[in-house]
Amino acid sequence: GIQVEQSPPDLILQEGANSTLRCNFSDSVNNLQWFHQNPWGQLINLFYIPSGTKQNGRLSATTVATERYSLLYISSSQTTDSGVYFCAALPNYGQNFVFGPGTRLSVLP
Amino acid sequence: NAGVMQNPRHLVRRRGQEARLRCSPMKGHSHVYWYRQLPEEGLKFMVYLQKENIIDESGMPKERFSAEFPKEGPSILRIQQVVRGDSAAYFCASSRRDRGTYEQYFGPGTRLTVT
């Protein structure tokens, strides 16, 4: 089945810094989502982005399906951005999203 | 528009008891997915259901676990004879799957503790 990898596994930033999180997938995908799991465990939808680029405030995402990766950009990070960021890919042949292992982000004041 | 609802939010069971977890999808969603998350780990797919049908249960343990999504009412994930290793957060997500839309929305999760 499809493999989904994320990098880096852990990231520590000072408040105000920018960062790029990467998601690689091993097979063609129909769809891709980014989620933020906050320190209270809630999973929050960030982007539904099978291809192209989307922006929402300080966050933006780009998926290049032909090259099998997606990037999540966080600009001017805030302490509330801390948590784990997951990408999830839906393979062309599959029924279900497969989650990556996540990137744990800590933003320090 | 209410989001995905899960209850209970916290559940404590002794070894050998049964656990029943409930999930009500978002309005207009007829597809439900269950995931398990062990502490400090990612989400593992368990089962995908549509109303009255199990579409894919490839991630669900063969014994003690079952899931249903009846025509009326919430989806239920049932764990019989729980063991300590079942302690985890169980998340439910729902989606539409028409017009090429597959976006999943998650509920708040049920945290199961087996003592």
Side-chain angles (χ1 to χ4, degrees), chain A residues 11-20 58 73-79 81 105-108:
Chain A
L11 186 58
I12 301 174
L13 299 175
Q14 284 297 135
E15 202 168 22
N18 303 330
S19 62
T20 301
R58 297 181 295 104
Y73 305 96
I74 304 174
S75 65
S76 304
S77 57
Q78 301 176 357
T79 56
D81 296 332
L105 175 64
S106 299
V107 181
L108 306 178

Side-chain angles (χ1 to χ4, degrees), chain B residues 44-98:
Chain B
K44 300 298 183 196
F45 166 77
M46 298 181 73
V47 62
Y48 160 36
L49 309 105
Q50 206 177 347
K51 286 278 188 182
E52 300 185 279
N53 282 307
I54 296 175
I55 306 300
D56 183 347
E57 56 183 348
S58 59
M60 200 147 71
K62 295 286 185 279
E63 296 178 353
R64 302 188 298 109
F65 285 73
S66 62
E68 63 176 5
F69 188 16
K71 189 176 180 182
E72 301 292 337
S75 174
I76 307 281
L77 178 68
R78 185 179 173 212
I79 311 172
Q80 295 179 288
Q81 299 174 326
V82 296
V83 300
R84 289 228 171 101
D86 296 332
S87 295
Y90 292 82
F91 288 94
C92 158
S94 74
S95 75
R96 302 172 58 172
R97 280 183 88 121
D98 54 7

Side-chain angles (χ1 to χ4, degrees), chain A residues 30-31 33 35 37 40-43 45 47-48 86 90 94-97 99-101 104, chain B residues 33 35 37 40-43 45 48 55-56 91 97 100-106 108 111:
Chain A
N30 269 331
N31 293 284
Q33 280 189 258
F35 297 92
Q37 188 167 38
W40 296 270
Q42 280 184 295
L43 282 153
N45 287 37
F47 293 101
Y48 176 69
F86 291 104
L90 179 64
Q95 299 269 27
N96 312 296
F97 280 89
F99 277 74
R104 184 172 298 275
Chain B
Y33 315 80
Y35 295 86
Q37 186 177 35
E40 303 300 315
E41 293 190 10
L43 285 97
F45 166 77
Y48 160 36
I55 306 300
D56 183 347
F91 288 94
R97 280 183 88 121
T101 299
Y102 301 90
E103 186 171 8
Q104 295 187 43
Y105 293 84
F106 278 86
R111 276 141 190 89

Side-chain angles (χ1 to χ4, degrees), chain A residues 12-29:
Chain A
I12 301 174
L13 299 175
Q14 284 297 135
E15 202 168 22
N18 303 330
S19 62
T20 301
L21 282 59
R22 188 176 180 101
C23 172
N24 291 332
F25 34 95
S26 62
D27 211 336
S28 302
V29 299

